[in-house]
Amino acid sequence: MTDEPRSGARAVDRAIEVLNCFDGDDPELSLSELAHMAGLPVSTTHRLAQALVRGRLLEQDSSNDRYRIGHGLASLARPALTRLGLDSAAPHLYALAAGIRITVSVGVVEQRDALTVFQARPPEWFCPNQVPRARQPLRASAVGHALLAFSPTSTIVEEHADQRDPRPVRPGGLHSHLDRVRRSGFASELIPTDDPIRSVAVPIVGPNRQVRGALAVQARSARLDDELVRRILPAMRTAAGRIAPLFQTASGPMDSAV
């Protein structure tokens, strides 16, 4: 690959491509990883990354030269969090996380994915298994199922059918599974890993039964067993009810099917 002539608009587009590389599970990336993921020459990526470091949108670890999101980007994100109502909702989410001793996350619909927009970690008992992926397929995640189940089911499942997801649809079909989620009031999904992880989600339903998002927890399935799920569900539902009037999605609320 060779560098193309630089222009203001093209440079901005490429800088955005570099920042978007961090929209995943890896908190730090090397220069070569950034270049590969962004599809840019290493020299171009280095120039852009250094400009982003100077602008505090990225940080570079001096011990290994790897890049990560900078504090400047977090500062720029604060108005968006305020607009979502998450600044007002945060105390309720941190109180829930401390009470159940599991990280609490909030997810919203973005195209065919459930996008994690906030996490509240407990002061103790935290482990990496409690951190959800930044994006999860709507039709193959507990957060996605909670969002879909309490939204208009006549069209929403087909609209969000994701051919990229390699996992098969559940026996009986997704419609049947979402019916069970509606009846139980929560979604549960087992994430297959060497040490399986369980995710549990409840809808955030605002005025007029409008679905605004989903509140979720996840942990090792050996810990987050049926007994613990039964114990924490009332607290999760209470917290979801408390933040629902405060919480606004950028794309507007989703109509409820119940």
Side-chain angles (χ1 to χ4, degrees), residues 3 25-26 49 67 88 90 96 110 170 203 218 245 249:
D3 282 338
D25 299 326
D26 295 319
Y67 294 92
S88 300
L96 174 62
E110 184 175 88
R170 290 170 169 269
Q218 71 175 49
T249 60

Side-chain angles (χ1 to χ4, degrees), residues 184-207:
S184 66
F186 73 97
S188 177
E189 191 75 12
L190 192 66
I191 303 170
T193 63
D194 292 339
D195 188 2
I197 298 170
R198 187 177 187 181
S199 177
V200 176
V202 298
I204 300 171
V205 183

Side-chain angles (χ1 to χ4, degrees), residues 51-231:
L52 292 168
V53 168
R54 291 193 295 274
R56 297 173 51 249
L57 302 183
L58 289 182
E59 295 175 353
Q60 189 173 21
D61 190 326
S62 59
S63 66
N64 56 20
D65 289 335
R66 295 175 72 85
Y67 294 92
R68 57 177 175 253
I69 291 296
H71 288 90
L73 195 58
S75 297
L76 291 176
R78 288 192 62 83
L81 295 177
T82 300
R83 190 165 58 251
L84 286 170
L86 287 170
D87 54 345
S88 300
H92 300 289
L93 298 171
Y94 279 107
L96 174 62
I100 65 176
R101 297 191 291 186
I102 303 176
T103 296
V104 176
S105 64
V106 173
V108 299
V109 171
E110 184 175 88
Q111 298 179 343
R112 295 178 175 178
D113 293 330
L115 176 67
T116 300
V117 294
F118 190 84
Q119 292 176 28
R121 297 185 180 184
E124 56 183 5
W125 285 81
F126 170 76
C127 73
N129 291 326
Q130 299 176 14
V131 179
R133 293 169 55 192
R135 291 179 181 272
Q136 305 175 71
L138 280 173
R139 66 198 300 263
S141 62
V143 173
H145 291 164
L147 290 165
L148 292 174
F150 297 93
S151 303
T153 55
S154 59
T155 59
I156 192 103
V157 175
E158 287 79 6
E159 287 175 357
H160 294 288
D162 193 344
Q163 300 302 321
R164 300 168 301 168
D165 179 25
R167 284 175 283 188
V169 175
R170 290 170 169 269
L174 185 56
H175 280 289
S176 177
H177 174 65
L178 296 181
D179 284 339
R180 292 193 293 273
V181 171
R182 278 189 289 275
R183 289 195 298 271
S184 66
F186 73 97
S188 177
E189 191 75 12
L190 192 66
I191 303 170
T193 63
D194 292 339
D195 188 2
I197 298 170
R198 187 177 187 181
S199 177
V200 176
V202 298
I204 300 171
V205 183
N208 301 319
R209 309 291 290 172
Q210 295 171 330
V211 176
R212 300 179 181 273
L215 186 152
V217 300
Q218 71 175 49
R220 295 173 55 246
S221 61
R223 178 189 174 198
L224 192 56
D225 56 14
D226 290 344
E227 179 182 354
L228 181 56
V229 170
R230 283 193 296 269
R231 287 189 358 230

